[in-house]
């Protein structure tokens, strides 16, 4: 119980802290290179997913501090999140692909000795910096890339003959600021926000793909954005400055 903080480290470890006391609860080890992302499961309180430049995705039991599953990937990973259930993980990769993994598949039951993902080449040849699930449609997600675009991807279209990329978001002044640039989606699913290399915070409408506003306040590349149900939009830049925006 209680509020926890999960952190991904360049020292190859994932750490879990108690937010109230600041006490370190667990140091989760097992990755052999820097950890890029660590995320709590929205489905199970004691589960988390991490990904690393060692090309693995790991699932953790936070109550015991143990790794309970590990997936080896063909391409390095910048981002991993839980998908539409406790048994689904979505990842974004250096090769420009987003992949959906069914953790309920037993390793060895599929070709190459592991679970075979659903794959979308959302960004040809350019790193996917982040994947963010849509809050209003769990078969859709946003991918952000070093090609300076964001895509709305629908995995139901894979194999149907339809394009899995539903909409592409871009703007003349928008350039992805970091290798791990992390956008966000408004809680109602209407807007996508991404930070730019010039310190701008770009807000698009998903209805028509149009850029609605560019917020100014940062003087360094904006690395990450978050939009809470009650707290509103927050952005943070590479200099460690965080801005909470009001309507």
């Amino acid at each position: 119980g209680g509020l926890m903080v999960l952190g991904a480290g360049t020292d190859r470890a994932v750490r879990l802290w108690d937010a109230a006391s600041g006490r370190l609860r667990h140091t989760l080890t097992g990755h052999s290179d820097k950890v890029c992302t660590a995320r709590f499961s929205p489905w199970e309180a004691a589960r988390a997913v991490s990904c690393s430049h060692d090309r693995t995705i790991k699932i953790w039991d936070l109550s015991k501090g143990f790794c309970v599953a590990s997936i080896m990937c063909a391409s390095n990973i910048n981002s991993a999140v839980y998908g539409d259930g406790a048994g689904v993980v979505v990842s974004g990769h250096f090769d420009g692909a987003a992949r959906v993994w069914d953790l309920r598949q037993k390793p060895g039951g599929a070709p190459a000795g592991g679970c075979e993902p659903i794959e979308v080449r959302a960004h040809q040849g350019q790193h996917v910096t982040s994947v963010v699930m849509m809050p209003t449609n769990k078969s859709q997600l946003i991918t952000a890339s070093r090609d300076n675009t964001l895509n709305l991807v629908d995995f139901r279209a894979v194999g149907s003959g339809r394009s899995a990329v539903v909409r592409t978001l871009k703007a003349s002044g928008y350039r992805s600021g970091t290798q791990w640039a992390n956008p966000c989606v408004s809680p109602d699913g209407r807007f996508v926000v991404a930070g730019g290399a010039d310190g701008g915070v770009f807000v698009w409408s998903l209805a028509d793909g149009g850029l609605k506003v560019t917020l100014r306040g940062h003087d360094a590349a904006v690395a990450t954005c978050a939009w809470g149900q009650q707290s509103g939009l927050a952005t943070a830049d590479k200099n460690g400055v965080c801005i909470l925006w009001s309507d």
Side-chain angles (χ1 to χ4, degrees), residues 41-44 81-91 99-104 118 132-141 154-156:
S41 168
W43 310 103
E44 298 174 288
V81 295
Y82 278 89
D84 62 358
V88 179
V89 165
V90 182
S91 53
R99 295 179 171 91
V100 181
W101 307 86
D102 186 346
L103 303 176
R104 295 159 295 197
I118 300 170
V132 180
M133 298 306 298
M134 285 294 295
T136 49
N137 185 336
K138 292 302 184 186
S139 69
Q140 294 185 334
L141 67 145
D154 191 331
F155 278 100
R156 291 174 303 185

Side-chain angles (χ1 to χ4, degrees), residues 4-23:
M4 298 290 166
V5 175
L6 192 66
T10 57
D11 62 352
R12 304 175 298 196
V14 177
R15 287 177 174 81
L16 181 71
W17 289 272
D18 183 294
S21 67
R23 185 171 65 88

Side-chain angles (χ1 to χ4, degrees), residues 27-242:
T27 300
L28 309 171
T29 58
H31 283 298
S32 60
D33 205 333
K34 71 177 180 181
V35 185
C36 305
T37 302
R39 303 269 188 193
F40 290 111
S41 168
W43 310 103
E44 298 174 288
R47 284 284 193 272
V49 62
S50 66
C51 66
S52 163
H53 282 186
D54 64 8
R55 296 192 177 189
T56 66
I57 299 167
K58 293 187 184 293
I59 306 298
W60 302 92
D61 181 330
L62 298 178
S63 59
K64 296 174 180 162
F66 292 158
C67 176
V68 295
S70 187
I71 302 168
M72 177 62 74
C73 304
S75 173
N76 239 325
I77 319 142
N78 276 328
S79 179
V81 295
Y82 278 89
D84 62 358
V88 179
V89 165
V90 182
S91 53
H93 296 260
F94 277 34
D95 63 2
R99 295 179 171 91
V100 181
W101 307 86
D102 186 346
L103 303 176
R104 295 159 295 197
Q105 284 188 32
K106 297 298 182 196
C115 50
E116 286 293 295
I118 300 170
E119 179 178 300
V120 173
R121 294 278 170 173
H123 302 271
Q124 294 297 329
Q126 290 282 347
H127 292 194
V128 174
T129 66
S130 188
V131 289
V132 180
M133 298 306 298
M134 285 294 295
T136 49
N137 185 336
K138 292 302 184 186
S139 69
Q140 294 185 334
L141 67 145
I142 298 293
T143 59
S145 172
R146 292 296 271 176
D147 68 4
N148 304 321
T149 69
L150 299 94
N151 282 331
L152 175 63
V153 173
D154 191 331
F155 278 100
R156 291 174 303 185
V158 174
S160 70
R162 294 182 291 122
S163 172
V165 177
V166 178
R167 193 175 296 289
T168 297
L169 307 176
K170 53 188 175 182
S172 59
Y174 171 71
R175 289 187 302 113
S176 176
T178 69
Q179 182 61 43
W180 57 91
N182 187 51
C184 68
V185 183
S186 63
D188 61 9
R190 294 172 58 210
F191 300 101
V192 174
V193 182
D198 67 346
V201 176
F202 295 76
V203 183
W204 287 270
S205 166
L206 267 181
D208 60 9
L211 182 69
K212 292 303 173 191
V213 66
T214 304
L215 305 172
R216 296 290 175 184
H218 291 283
D219 55 13
V222 178
T224 192
C225 311
W227 197 326
Q229 287 278 6
Q230 281 83 38
S231 57
L233 175 65
T235 55
D237 66 35
K238 289 176 77 171
N239 286 347
V241 174
C242 181

